[in-house]
Amino acid sequence: GVATNNTTLARAIVLGIALNNASSGQAVNVLLLGAVTNAIFSVFSVNQLLYLDEDGGITDLKPASGFLTPIGKALGSNTIFVSILNPTQLGV
């Protein structure tokens, strides 16, 4: 499933980052901890903290409501370090 930061605690829990697209029934490679390089990460500056967004993606914008799920940190050169932490409910 795809996590989201704006519904429930169960949906805000992230187990890993999908490394490839897949259709139903196909295998997905998942990174639980470590560095991953992809051109899509070029939008992040070095040392930016990264979070789960409402669409199941990664953002450098800290959410103001819902759940805060830290994903990791940008290392630069299109690389992020994935180090997922537990979600925290915001605005409680």
Side-chain angles (χ1 to χ4, degrees):
V2 177
T4 178
N5 73 352
N6 63 0
T7 57
T8 65
L9 175 61
R11 291 288 310 274
I13 295 172
V14 175
L15 300 177
I17 303 298
L19 299 177
N20 61 291
N21 295 325
S23 298
S24 181
Q26 292 181 318
V28 176
N29 295 318
V30 177
L31 178 67
L32 304 178
L33 177 69
V36 61
T37 302
N38 191 302
I40 63 172
F41 302 134
S42 66
V43 298
F44 303 128
S45 298
V46 175
N47 291 323
Q48 279 185 308
L49 297 177
L50 305 173
Y51 309 96
L52 172 66
D53 74 12
E54 66 273 2
D55 297 320
I58 300 171
T59 183
D60 58 347
L61 301 174
K62 189 174 183 179
S65 63
F67 291 87
L68 174 71
T69 304
I71 298 296
K73 182 186 262 190
L75 299 178
S77 300
N78 302 332
T79 303
I80 65 170
F81 187 82
V82 175
S83 177
I84 301 165
L85 300 176
N86 292 325
T88 302
Q89 189 169 9
L90 300 170
V92 177

